[in-house]
Amino acid sequence: MTKDTEVDMKDVELNEMDQEKRPITGGAGNGDAGSPTSTEKNGSIKVKIPDEIETKFTGLSKEELLRVAGTPAWVRTRWALLILFWLGWLGMLAGAVAIIVQAPRCKDLPAMNWWNYGPLYQIGDVQAFSESQNLKGVEEKLDSLSQLKVKGLVVGPIHDAPADDPVSLNFEEISSDAGNLEQFKGLIIAAHKKSINVILDLTPNYLGSGPWFSNVSVTNVAERLKSALVFWLNQGVDGIQLSGVERVASVVPSLWADIRAIVQNGTAEGKRRILIGVTAKTSAVDVSELLNSTGVDLLLSGALRSKSMTATDRAQTVQQLLSTHNQTQLAWNIGDRKEGHLATLVGPDMVNFNQMLLLTLPGTPVFNYGDEIALADEQYTKSPKMLWDSLEDEETNGTATKEKEQRLACRSFFKTLSDLRGKERSLQHGDYIPLFNSTSALAYLRQWDQSGRYIAAFNWGSDVVTLQLAHPDRPAQAVVQVSTDKVNLAPDSAVGLSALELGPGQAVLLQFPYVA
């Protein structure tokens, strides 16, 4: 290439560069006749890049899959995976069976009746119990009783029975002071709707000097009672209570057998009817013999009533009765219609203490109306007027307000214990294991199968006691569930079992979990 040619080429390149730097405008008359028409701005060039072509994976065709699937390598792989699947499945099945076989079996629940599931509540004086002073008034208080987890009401006696007058005795007529038959039937219907059973006290001479009048009258009265039992059972009552059962059972045993058959052989709405006996006997030996001789379902007695009893005496009484009877046959009470209320018999400061005792012993707890609020007997009567309080009530007197708060706190304590007894199997029907007893203190364990364990401890004495409750099968600590000592044994606090200190007149209920 010659120098002239090279110069010409440089001129061309320079001209082209100058051309690029010039403004690009469109239309004729811009002085560049040969420039292309464009609407783009100066120096802006659009370059269109074609989109990338996406390749879609279609997989193998059916024919290709069939060809591959038939190869020896894939056949062996499939068989290996199938065998591994079934081996894994059989292994898991064998493991599940081994767990079921080796797991501890649940203990069969004991045979129980409805009266074993919660406390019974005695209303011996219908007039004193409610504002309405009749059976309708009892019906109006069923909501309150249901909150306490009461399983049965023992009502009456309410029949017409002038004192010591067997001739005028009328078992089938309700005293006008108590109400009328329609009210009683309404009470039964309303109670059943709340799963509360109604037991009628038909003690013949309940206002007189002896429950069965004289020995001469026993035969005639017992015979008349038989037809009355049929009448009241047909009205829907769930059981009968009779005081002085030892007399009628011993004087006229054949008639007593008939009375038992009428009550105990029937059912009410698919439930067994209960026959409750009441005796003034106090020794464990006498109570045990009477349970056997009368055949009643429950026997209320004075076995725990004596103020002179030591803690050791109480422990021996409980142990002796449990050694000869199933706990479903035992009833625990302190007060009743004739003896009075709990607060009078043990003192108002010991009401919560004894509520815990009755609600944690193995058997059916029985309370007098008002025992849940520490209601005390009045000077001339053992049927004091029931007090119905609520937090919303207005009080202007400071002393009255404090007394109301004490009643509500007492009721709350009772309710907490009754709730626990109703839902915890260890308290409801668990084994009873003595842990400690002395002249002033008592402790026992309630346990059932794999349910939580409960320790109830009591100190009747005037000095602090230290209880040694530790055992290799128990944890070092337990949790306070309910306590009469809110300062030193606050609910939900953990306490050691090796040296549990319990103050004078204090009681505590502890809980710890089951450990396999």
Side-chain angles (χ1 to χ4, degrees):
M1 180 178 296
T2 65
K3 292 181 178 180
D4 296 331
T5 306
E6 290 177 357
V7 172
D8 294 337
M9 290 296 293
K10 290 178 179 178
D11 292 336
V12 172
E13 290 175 358
L14 291 170
N15 291 334
E16 289 177 352
M17 291 177 63
D18 293 338
Q19 182 74 21
E20 291 173 357
K21 295 178 181 179
R22 295 174 186 169
I24 300 173
T25 57
N30 59 4
D32 296 319
S35 64
T37 303
S38 174
T39 59
E40 295 294 330
K41 292 182 180 179
N42 183 25
S44 179
I45 300 174
K46 277 190 175 181
V47 180
K48 185 175 182 181
I49 301 174
D51 296 336
E52 293 182 2
I53 300 175
E54 296 182 2
T55 303
K56 185 176 182 180
F57 177 74
T58 58
L60 298 177
S61 66
K62 181 178 180 182
E63 292 76 13
E64 290 172 326
L65 286 172
L66 290 174
R67 282 198 302 271
V68 174
T71 60
W74 275 105
V75 171
R76 288 193 297 271
T77 301
R78 287 200 307 273
W79 274 106
L81 292 173
L82 182 63
I83 291 171
L84 286 174
F85 168 78
W86 283 110
L87 287 175
W89 187 86
L90 290 173
M92 289 188 293
L93 180 62
V97 171
I99 291 173
I100 294 173
V101 171
Q102 293 179 4
R105 294 179 178 272
C106 292
K107 192 175 180 180
D108 292 335
L109 294 176
M112 297 174 65
N113 293 295
W114 59 261
W115 55 84
N116 302 128
Y117 287 96
L120 301 183
Y121 192 90
Q122 301 182 95
I123 305 175
D125 190 324
V126 171
Q127 285 184 292
F129 180 70
S130 71
E131 295 94 342
S132 300
Q133 299 185 355
N134 55 27
L135 291 166
K136 184 64 178 177
V138 177
E139 180 184 340
E140 293 168 353
K141 300 301 181 182
L142 287 176
D143 283 338
S144 178
L145 299 179
S146 179
Q147 293 172 6
L148 300 178
K149 299 299 184 290
V150 169
K151 293 302 177 184
L153 295 182
V154 183
V155 179
I158 56 174
H159 57 273
D160 198 1
D164 301 319
D165 183 4
V167 176
S168 302
L169 171 67
N170 189 344
F171 282 116
E172 300 175 18
E173 183 70 28
I174 293 177
S175 169
S176 58
D177 293 336
N180 55 55
L181 181 59
E182 289 305 311
Q183 289 179 352
F184 185 66
K185 292 165 71 173
L187 170 62
I188 294 174
I189 294 171
H192 286 175
K193 289 180 179 179
K194 295 186 178 297
S195 299
I196 298 176
N197 297 281
V198 178
I199 302 156
L200 181 61
D201 191 327
L202 281 178
T203 300
N205 190 30
Y206 64 95
L207 296 174
S209 55
W212 291 86
F213 302 99
S214 64
N215 285 340
V216 177
S217 305
V218 170
T219 302
N220 175 266
V221 171
E223 189 66 50
R224 291 160 62 188
L225 176 62
K226 288 165 55 179
S227 60
L229 291 173
V230 175
F231 172 80
W232 287 113
L233 293 173
N234 286 337
Q235 304 306 317
V237 299
D238 304 288
I240 299 296
Q241 176 170 293
L242 296 168
S243 297
V245 289
E246 59 266 39
R247 172 176 288 190
V248 64
S250 61
V251 174
V252 282
S254 60
L255 287 178
W256 177 247
D258 292 341
I259 290 170
R260 285 185 55 200
I262 293 171
V263 178
Q264 295 175 313
N265 291 348
T267 59
E269 299 181 359
K271 301 171 297 186
R272 269 200 63 201
R273 295 189 180 114
I274 184 174
L275 179 59
I276 301 176
V278 182
T279 181
K281 296 185 180 299
T282 58
S283 77
V285 173
D286 290 342
V287 171
S288 179
E289 289 178 354
L290 198 53
L291 267 170
N292 290 328
S293 63
T294 60
V296 293
D297 296 298
L298 294 178
L299 181 64
L300 306 187
S301 69
L304 295 179
R305 186 176 299 140
S306 175
K307 292 183 179 180
S308 63
M309 291 182 78
T310 65
T312 300
D313 295 333
R314 292 179 174 89
Q316 291 175 348
T317 295
V318 174
Q319 197 63 42
Q320 185 168 355
L321 288 172
L322 279 173
S323 67
T324 53
H325 301 278
N326 189 292
Q327 64 175 276
T328 57
Q329 298 174 277
L330 300 180
W332 303 109
N333 68 293
I334 295 177
D336 61 21
R337 178 177 60 85
K338 295 290 290 184
E339 297 297 329
H341 287 74
L342 193 59
T344 300
L345 296 171
V346 303
D349 294 337
M350 294 292 284
V351 170
N352 286 158
F353 183 102
N354 284 275
Q355 288 174 347
M356 185 181 295
L357 178 68
L358 297 179
L359 284 162
T360 58
L361 283 173
T364 300
V366 184
F367 293 92
N368 206 355
Y369 79 90
D371 283 348
E372 73 275 20
I373 61 169
L375 183 68
D377 297 330
E378 296 173 357
Q379 186 174 3
Y380 299 107
T381 178
K382 293 180 179 177
S383 297
K385 184 174 179 58
M386 180 63 174
L387 300 174
W388 298 98
D389 299 303
S390 70
L391 290 173
E392 292 75 23
D393 292 340
E394 292 186 2
E395 294 281 1
T396 55
N397 184 296
T399 301
T401 299
K402 184 177 179 179
E403 291 176 350
K404 181 191 71 173
E405 290 173 350
Q406 290 174 342
R407 290 192 294 269
L408 291 173
C410 186
R411 185 180 186 276
S412 177
F413 186 93
F414 182 99
K415 182 179 182 300
T416 299
L417 282 169
S418 189
D419 284 342
L420 276 174
R421 191 192 183 281
K423 66 182 181 182
E424 294 294 335
R425 289 180 175 175
S426 291
L427 293 174
Q428 197 172 85
H429 51 250
D431 300 325
Y432 170 89
I433 302 172
L435 301 181
F436 180 96
N437 79 79
S438 66
T439 56
S440 61
L442 170 66
Y444 48 84
L445 172 67
R446 299 296 309 279
Q447 66 177 31
W448 177 261
D449 197 25
Q450 301 173 43
S451 300
R453 274 69 171 126
Y454 286 85
I455 293 176
F458 306 86
N459 179 13
W460 279 269
S462 56
D463 298 317
V464 175
V465 295
T466 301
L467 309 181
Q468 307 290 337
L469 304 177
H471 190 275
D473 294 338
R474 299 177 205 127
Q477 292 185 321
V479 178
V480 176
Q481 294 293 301
V482 188
S483 169
T484 60
D485 187 351
K486 301 296 192 299
V487 176
N488 299 307
L489 295 169
D492 299 325
S493 63
V495 296
L497 296 180
S498 59
L500 175 66
E501 288 192 351
L502 203 55
Q506 302 297 335
V508 65
L509 181 65
L510 309 175
Q511 190 269 346
F512 61 90
Y514 163 79
V515 178

